[in-house]
Amino acid sequence: MEIEPATLGKSRLFARGWSWLKALPARKFKKVVEAAKSIKQLGQDDPRRVIHCLKVGLALTLVSLLYYCKPLYEVFGDTGIWAVLTVVMVLEFTVGATISKGLNRGFATLFAGALAIGTEYFSRLFDRKAEPIVLGVLLFFLATTSSFTRFIPRIKARYDYGVMIFILTFSLVSVSGYRTENLLEMAHHRLSTIAIGGATCIIMSVFVCPVWAGKDLHNLTASNLEKLANYLEGFGGEYFQADPDHEEEGITITASKDDKALLQGYKSVLNSKNTEESLANFARWEPGHGGFHFRHPWNQYLKIGALARQCAHLIEVLDGYINSDIQPPPEIRNKIRESSTKMCLELSQALRALVSSIKTMTDPSAADPHVKCSKTSINDLKIALEAASELENVDLLAIIPIASVASILTEIAKCVERISELVHELSLLAYFKSAATSDQQEPAGSGLHRGSVRPVLDDDSDRTITIIVQATNV
Amino acid sequence: MEIEPATLGKSRLFARGWSWLKALPARKFKKVVEAAKSIKQLGQDDPRRVIHCLKVGLALTLVSLLYYCKPLYEVFGDTGIWAVLTVVMVLEFTVGATISKGLNRGFATLFAGALAIGTEYFSRLFDRKAEPIVLGVLLFFLATTSSFTRFIPRIKARYDYGVMIFILTFSLVSVSGYRTENLLEMAHHRLSTIAIGGATCIIMSVFVCPVWAGKDLHNLTASNLEKLANYLEGFGGEYFQADPDHEEEGITITASKDDKALLQGYKSVLNSKNTEESLANFARWEPGHGGFHFRHPWNQYLKIGALARQCAHLIEVLDGYINSDIQPPPEIRNKIRESSTKMCLELSQALRALVSSIKTMTDPSAADPHVKCSKTSINDLKIALEAASELENVDLLAIIPIASVASILTEIAKCVERISELVHELSLLAYFKSAATSDQQEPAGSGLHRGSVRPVLDDDSDRTITIIVQATNV
């Protein structure tokens, strides 16, 4: 019975652990529970994360068979370790990132390996003592110049990992080559195990519950526009809702409590630039997938994103007026409530129509009437403001905040109009379905202007081609 | 004369290359020249980049001596390759990033190596056939759970590389351990070569022309505030400069051409969040350096940065009014020109005083009078607006843009006031020198209020401590 002392030790360890846990102050214990909860939340927010982790575990276990299976080990020997290394480094959350890293790694290894072997044979032309000097000088030169290319923005965005692997492989092969006789065989084995590792990663990420960066970018763009729509819809109610019959503050607060979380959603749009850019970079590497073909116009999403951020900046300023100490008197507020609320509603409906068009990948013409209406309500708003200023006993200063709000709303309207134009371009470039063929998800109100729904590739086919040519020239 | 044919071949190659170059269409050649110029520009913009590349080359050449020097090779053998690998992976542009990666790599390797060796000996308790199954299950479990920790934001920000190396090392050691007898020796060698590589990187980055992330963050904060100051200074001239005597457009355009680049500087502030956060993350790893002690309040810079971005959002909206189609009539413009221009100037001077305080690490009290003046000019602006509205024949709608500009300027003034408060807190937390002791870099105008310059740790010592305690509790 050899195991008994160990078991005893184990139970003693458990007892100790338990007493340590009990001795923990309640506050610390609470912290641990909270941390555990937030970790659970991470998984619940996006279950694809859990699946990704299982994929990493599975891929690693698979490539470790190169070591565990005797027949495989006899072929590859110790170089099998490079497959393990490749899987850890290459398998990323999205398909695009995995393919990008895999191809970067593959080509960089191939290229650097070939160059290093060439260097090695070149250095062998010199005598044994001069060899390390030649190798060292070449290594220094190559490492310095390739490090510098990592500062070039274009290369940093797409090939940073490749350049790093290039330096890595070149150093490894040229340095270790000095002590290795059968250099070509080693390079061959290493390359094939890296290929096995890379292929495992790419197959795993494309075929087992794939997470497409392109789809994520598409959804992110839609959800960002939706957040702006939420704000605009809420803003009308929030800022103008103070009814002359119920002027108590209490009502404002209860109403705002419900919508607060929804209203604050726009804040995440402000800092979306980096996420969008990296998703677009990864999306370019992805093969076609459900609705997105290989050369899908990913750049167009970046343009829409830039305008969405501009709109979010305007909203950020608008938001300052809700919480401002200086609130306009109710009689002025009432004068312009109708036109402002209508404008906000039209803008948010226009955005919602665009969101639904992006989500269902159908023609975005349903947004056009709302964009048009928001334009006409700019004039209504001006007339209402003029009427407000002609009220008696009204201080001009009291109108300033309202005038500013109106002016910012006008800017937002312009911004939404340009977003709508960009989504129209996107629908042409990405061959969105004509709205007429998909009735199931039509946004409210679009039925009124059925006549304006135009077939995508009919009268506009010339424009389509022009846009595509422009886009590919970029 | 063996070399002759080679030389001949070389010259022929040169001739071919030259004809190929000549055959290149002029446009392509121009492109290449432009690319070369932009690469040169990259180096000129920040010569530290070139130095960094030389450091990478030097460090790699140094660690390759582990292979090239026979006595060293006899000690470390093939594991010397891990030093090369470590240098390529760990040596980063800033000291903080290098130390962070180095320590992450070191501790992750140590911890994962120990765990893997433990696992290996544990699995050897089972028979040879069951061993890979036990190892595989453990590998799967560990890889899955540690991959998941990479999604936790706190860990992702600071220990992402460490977790990756943990998975990497655990897989490598546990997998290759199955075929290795002298596991402990291998682990020992690998760990010591990684330590050599890591130490080379850290020494190289700390002692050879170091690039401190902390200093960069400090300078970035100052330069962001300076960009806001530039805009505000330019805005007064840009928007209100139209003189009634010289109402031609030509003048506006010539003036704006000069300042355009300076004015647009604020745009880079809008997207500074990620850079600031990563610099702050790296700065936390850095030892004390010139004026910055080890636990310098880096968080305070993030707070200032957030407010600077808020200010930049306001400026983004303000900028829309310069380029707007609807321009206020000159008589209204003239009415409020003086107060607005004064306010813009005071705000920009306040910001400049804060910038100079941050740059010289001296007490920021010189900004106080300007902040106070900008507050009083809010009232002046209101009075001027009221006067403008009482002009005869003035349409209220014509005042709206001006009123909005005034309202946004008021918001910017509030923002600048809060920035000033945060810089005051920073000066206490980071023990900035009292302004009285450093006369050389005093900003214009501060001399008037000499009485208000207070010694940092005299009457306010209680407040200092409170703030420090609050800061460390965060």
Side-chain angles (χ1 to χ4, degrees), chain A residues 197-208:
Chain A
T200 311
C201 290
I202 291 179
I203 289 169
M204 199 63 113
S205 78
V206 173
F207 295 105
V208 185

Side-chain angles (χ1 to χ4, degrees), chain A residues 311-327:
Chain A
C311 203
H313 293 154
L314 288 162
I315 286 180
E316 171 90 337
V317 177
L318 204 58
D319 197 52
Y321 289 100
I322 290 191
N323 308 313
S324 171
D325 312 327
I326 315 151
Q327 289 296 336

Side-chain angles (χ1 to χ4, degrees), chain B residues 75-300:
Chain B
V75 177
F76 296 105
D78 283 339
T79 52
I81 216 65
W82 291 95
V84 176
L85 213 140
T86 304
V87 167
V88 177
M89 306 291 265
V90 167
L91 192 53
E92 290 275 330
F93 187 56
T94 62
V95 176
T98 309
I99 294 182
S100 143
K101 276 191 138 182
L103 293 184
N104 261 306
R105 190 180 183 101
F107 284 106
T109 306
L110 198 66
F111 189 56
L115 201 65
I117 290 174
T119 312
E120 197 57 48
Y121 283 112
F122 170 73
S123 75
R124 285 187 188 172
L125 295 177
F126 299 84
D127 64 39
R128 187 75 183 163
K129 275 202 176 158
E131 206 184 320
I133 298 169
V134 173
L135 281 175
V137 169
L138 281 171
L139 176 64
F140 178 81
F141 177 73
L142 246 136
T144 307
T145 47
S146 9
S147 290
F148 193 74
T149 60
R150 294 176 74 184
F151 287 111
I152 301 169
R154 258 184 91 89
I155 291 184
K156 186 160 187 63
R158 297 198 201 169
Y159 308 110
D160 191 56
Y161 185 69
V163 175
M164 200 183 77
I165 293 297
F166 176 82
I167 304 175
L168 187 70
T169 309
F170 183 82
S171 330
L172 290 188
V173 176
S174 73
V175 169
S176 67
Y178 179 63
R179 300 275 178 197
T180 313
E181 283 314 306
N182 47 355
L183 198 59
L184 274 177
E185 196 191 334
M186 188 190 79
H188 168 73
H189 274 163
R190 192 174 292 178
L191 202 60
S192 47
T193 48
I194 286 178
I196 291 174
T200 311
C201 291
I202 291 177
I203 290 170
M204 199 61 113
S205 78
V206 174
F207 295 105
V208 184
C209 309
V211 177
W212 301 101
K215 206 176 165 195
D216 272 17
L217 177 61
H218 184 88
N219 292 340
L220 180 68
T221 307
S223 94
N224 278 352
L225 293 183
E226 199 163 20
K227 280 170 189 163
L228 301 181
N230 286 341
Y231 188 90
L232 289 173
E233 197 177 318
F235 178 77
E238 184 86 355
Y239 192 67
F240 291 107
Q241 105 207 117
D243 206 311
D245 305 322
H246 312 271
E247 257 308 290
E248 302 97 64
E249 272 203 4
I251 291 168
T252 328
I253 290 167
T254 16
S256 65
K257 233 181 185 174
D258 295 344
D259 303 328
K260 213 75 197 175
L262 213 63
L263 276 180
Q264 294 305 305
Y266 79 91
K267 283 201 190 280
S268 71
V269 182
L270 290 171
N271 292 309
S272 57
K273 192 175 186 235
N274 284 287
T275 316
E276 278 174 14
E277 277 177 359
S278 75
L279 282 178
N281 263 331
F282 293 144
R284 288 197 188 94
W285 295 88
E286 290 177 349
H289 53 281
F292 309 99
H293 49 94
F294 176 55
R295 293 179 73 87
H296 193 78
W298 301 118
N299 255 339
Q300 195 71 12

Side-chain angles (χ1 to χ4, degrees), chain B residues 41-52:
Chain B
Q41 194 57 40
L42 269 178
Q44 279 174 337
D45 284 349
D46 195 347
R48 301 179 304 175
R49 288 174 181 154
V50 180
I51 295 170
H52 167 73

